[in-house]
Amino acid sequence: MHFMKGLLAAALLMPVLVSAEEIGQVSTVFKMVGPNDRIVVEAFDDPKVDGVTCYLSRAKTGGVRGGLGLAEDRAEASIACRQVGPIRFKETLKDGDEVFKERTSLVFKTMQVVRFFDKKRNALVYLVYSDRVIEGSPQNAVTAIPILPWTTAPAP
């Protein structure tokens, strides 16, 4: 019984991460066997901030290894986050909170998005980067959203 309570407590303490929804993709390299290499555009909503959606574009390796999930995807990614509704904080934010994380190789490499709050400029800042157990990559991309009042246009 204590073991189950411990597992439940650990699950509740883990960060809330979201999965991305694929918006679209384009092929970049034709592969005779397996899927083509491609660039994928995905979207995800910030799990702790209502009214924010981030769009991520990144390369996915195709071929037999890519089709089986054994290939290592490149570290490059691009991000654009936008206010899509009234911004409401569901809980207190911490700088460097992990918002999104996905494995980009079989074991050792991940791509992640973290959030910062720029209090001086009243803006949310999102950073995407790739890391690896042994050696990470300095390649990254950043986007910022000024927190503005949300108004709705009157119906025509």
Side-chain angles (χ1 to χ4, degrees), residues 5 21 27 44 64 75 93 105 124 132 146 154:
K5 285 183 182 178
E21 169 190 348
S27 292
F44 62 89
V64 174
L93 303 182
S105 75
L124 294 168
R132 182 183 272 164

PDB file of all heavy atoms in Angstrom, residues 5 21 27 44 64 75 93 105 124 132 146 154:
ATOM      1  N   LYS A   5       1.052   4.449  -2.778  1.00  0.00           N
ATOM      2  CA  LYS A   5       0.947   5.860  -2.382  1.00  0.00           C
ATOM      3  C   LYS A   5       2.177   6.621  -2.838  1.00  0.00           C
ATOM      4  O   LYS A   5       2.090   7.756  -3.280  1.00  0.00           O
ATOM      5  CB  LYS A   5       0.777   5.984  -0.866  1.00  0.00           C
ATOM      6  CG  LYS A   5      -0.592   5.618  -0.375  1.00  0.00           C
ATOM      7  CD  LYS A   5      -0.699   5.834   1.118  1.00  0.00           C
ATOM      8  CE  LYS A   5      -2.061   5.428   1.636  1.00  0.00           C
ATOM      9  NZ  LYS A   5      -2.165   5.587   3.081  1.00  0.00           N
ATOM     10  N   GLU A  21       0.320  18.462 -31.216  1.00  0.00           N
ATOM     11  CA  GLU A  21      -0.607  18.077 -32.284  1.00  0.00           C
ATOM     12  C   GLU A  21       0.044  18.449 -33.617  1.00  0.00           C
ATOM     13  O   GLU A  21       0.465  19.591 -33.798  1.00  0.00           O
ATOM     14  CB  GLU A  21      -1.907  18.851 -32.094  1.00  0.00           C
ATOM     15  CG  GLU A  21      -2.863  18.789 -33.227  1.00  0.00           C
ATOM     16  CD  GLU A  21      -4.006  19.789 -33.056  1.00  0.00           C
ATOM     17  OE1 GLU A  21      -4.165  20.366 -31.963  1.00  0.00           O
ATOM     18  OE2 GLU A  21      -4.726  19.997 -34.046  1.00  0.00           O
ATOM     19  N   SER A  27       8.030  16.976 -47.094  1.00  0.00           N
ATOM     20  CA  SER A  27       9.161  16.071 -47.314  1.00  0.00           C
ATOM     21  C   SER A  27      10.369  16.879 -47.759  1.00  0.00           C
ATOM     22  O   SER A  27      10.235  17.824 -48.538  1.00  0.00           O
ATOM     23  CB  SER A  27       8.822  15.034 -48.383  1.00  0.00           C
ATOM     24  OG  SER A  27       7.843  14.151 -47.919  1.00  0.00           O
ATOM     25  N   PHE A  44       1.255  23.072 -29.565  1.00  0.00           N
ATOM     26  CA  PHE A  44       0.865  22.636 -28.230  1.00  0.00           C
ATOM     27  C   PHE A  44       0.500  23.862 -27.407  1.00  0.00           C
ATOM     28  O   PHE A  44       1.012  24.951 -27.627  1.00  0.00           O
ATOM     29  CB  PHE A  44       1.958  21.804 -27.545  1.00  0.00           C
ATOM     30  CG  PHE A  44       3.235  22.548 -27.316  1.00  0.00           C
ATOM     31  CD1 PHE A  44       3.436  23.274 -26.149  1.00  0.00           C
ATOM     32  CD2 PHE A  44       4.245  22.534 -28.257  1.00  0.00           C
ATOM     33  CE1 PHE A  44       4.616  23.973 -25.937  1.00  0.00           C
ATOM     34  CE2 PHE A  44       5.429  23.225 -28.058  1.00  0.00           C
ATOM     35  CZ  PHE A  44       5.610  23.948 -26.889  1.00  0.00           C
ATOM     36  N   VAL A  64      14.388   3.583 -43.048  1.00  0.00           N
ATOM     37  CA  VAL A  64      14.017   2.421 -42.239  1.00  0.00           C
ATOM     38  C   VAL A  64      14.211   2.728 -40.761  1.00  0.00           C
ATOM     39  O   VAL A  64      13.328   2.486 -39.939  1.00  0.00           O
ATOM     40  CB  VAL A  64      14.850   1.178 -42.657  1.00  0.00           C
ATOM     41  CG1 VAL A  64      14.579   0.010 -41.725  1.00  0.00           C
ATOM     42  CG2 VAL A  64      14.537   0.798 -44.097  1.00  0.00           C
ATOM     43  N   ALA A  75      19.190  18.425 -34.235  1.00  0.00           N
ATOM     44  CA  ALA A  75      18.965  19.276 -33.062  1.00  0.00           C
ATOM     45  C   ALA A  75      18.233  20.572 -33.395  1.00  0.00           C
ATOM     46  O   ALA A  75      17.701  21.222 -32.512  1.00  0.00           O
ATOM     47  CB  ALA A  75      20.304  19.598 -32.394  1.00  0.00           C
ATOM     48  N   LEU A  93       4.267  30.402 -11.785  1.00  0.00           N
ATOM     49  CA  LEU A  93       5.269  29.962 -12.754  1.00  0.00           C
ATOM     50  C   LEU A  93       6.661  30.061 -12.144  1.00  0.00           C
ATOM     51  O   LEU A  93       6.946  30.974 -11.376  1.00  0.00           O
ATOM     52  CB  LEU A  93       5.210  30.838 -14.007  1.00  0.00           C
ATOM     53  CG  LEU A  93       3.881  30.911 -14.745  1.00  0.00           C
ATOM     54  CD1 LEU A  93       4.020  31.782 -15.984  1.00  0.00           C
ATOM     55  CD2 LEU A  93       3.383  29.531 -15.117  1.00  0.00           C
ATOM     56  N   SER A 105      15.891  10.726 -30.111  1.00  0.00           N
ATOM     57  CA  SER A 105      16.681   9.556 -30.471  1.00  0.00           C
ATOM     58  C   SER A 105      16.193   8.420 -29.589  1.00  0.00           C
ATOM     59  O   SER A 105      15.387   8.633 -28.672  1.00  0.00           O
ATOM     60  CB  SER A 105      18.186   9.800 -30.271  1.00  0.00           C
ATOM     61  OG  SER A 105      18.528   9.770 -28.904  1.00  0.00           O
ATOM     62  N   LEU A 124       6.168  36.584 -21.589  1.00  0.00           N
ATOM     63  CA  LEU A 124       6.541  35.179 -21.449  1.00  0.00           C
ATOM     64  C   LEU A 124       7.549  34.858 -22.539  1.00  0.00           C
ATOM     65  O   LEU A 124       7.355  35.241 -23.700  1.00  0.00           O
ATOM     66  CB  LEU A 124       5.315  34.277 -21.587  1.00  0.00           C
ATOM     67  CG  LEU A 124       4.286  34.413 -20.474  1.00  0.00           C
ATOM     68  CD1 LEU A 124       2.986  33.713 -20.862  1.00  0.00           C
ATOM     69  CD2 LEU A 124       4.833  33.836 -19.177  1.00  0.00           C
ATOM     70  N   ARG A 132      21.543  16.174 -24.902  1.00  0.00           N
ATOM     71  CA  ARG A 132      21.977  14.791 -25.026  1.00  0.00           C
ATOM     72  C   ARG A 132      22.679  14.440 -23.717  1.00  0.00           C
ATOM     73  O   ARG A 132      23.291  15.299 -23.100  1.00  0.00           O
ATOM     74  CB  ARG A 132      22.941  14.684 -26.211  1.00  0.00           C
ATOM     75  CG  ARG A 132      23.437  13.297 -26.472  1.00  0.00           C
ATOM     76  CD  ARG A 132      24.442  13.303 -27.598  1.00  0.00           C
ATOM     77  NE  ARG A 132      23.733  13.165 -28.865  1.00  0.00           N
ATOM     78  CZ  ARG A 132      24.272  13.427 -30.025  1.00  0.00           C
ATOM     79  NH1 ARG A 132      25.503  13.871 -30.110  1.00  0.00           N
ATOM     80  NH2 ARG A 132      23.583  13.269 -31.116  1.00  0.00           N
ATOM     81  N   PRO A 146       4.342  39.269 -25.392  1.00  0.00           N
ATOM     82  CA  PRO A 146       3.978  40.303 -24.410  1.00  0.00           C
ATOM     83  C   PRO A 146       2.582  39.987 -23.865  1.00  0.00           C
ATOM     84  O   PRO A 146       1.694  39.587 -24.620  1.00  0.00           O
ATOM     85  CB  PRO A 146       3.976  41.592 -25.226  1.00  0.00           C
ATOM     86  CG  PRO A 146       3.763  41.158 -26.633  1.00  0.00           C
ATOM     87  CD  PRO A 146       4.332  39.772 -26.759  1.00  0.00           C
ATOM     88  N   PRO A 154     -16.164  42.841 -32.254  1.00  0.00           N
ATOM     89  CA  PRO A 154     -17.620  42.673 -32.329  1.00  0.00           C
ATOM     90  C   PRO A 154     -17.989  41.875 -33.572  1.00  0.00           C
ATOM     91  O   PRO A 154     -17.295  41.909 -34.590  1.00  0.00           O
ATOM     92  CB  PRO A 154     -18.140  44.094 -32.426  1.00  0.00           C
ATOM     93  CG  PRO A 154     -16.975  44.934 -32.837  1.00  0.00           C
ATOM     94  CD  PRO A 154     -15.724  44.196 -32.419  1.00  0.00           C
TER      95      PRO A 154
END
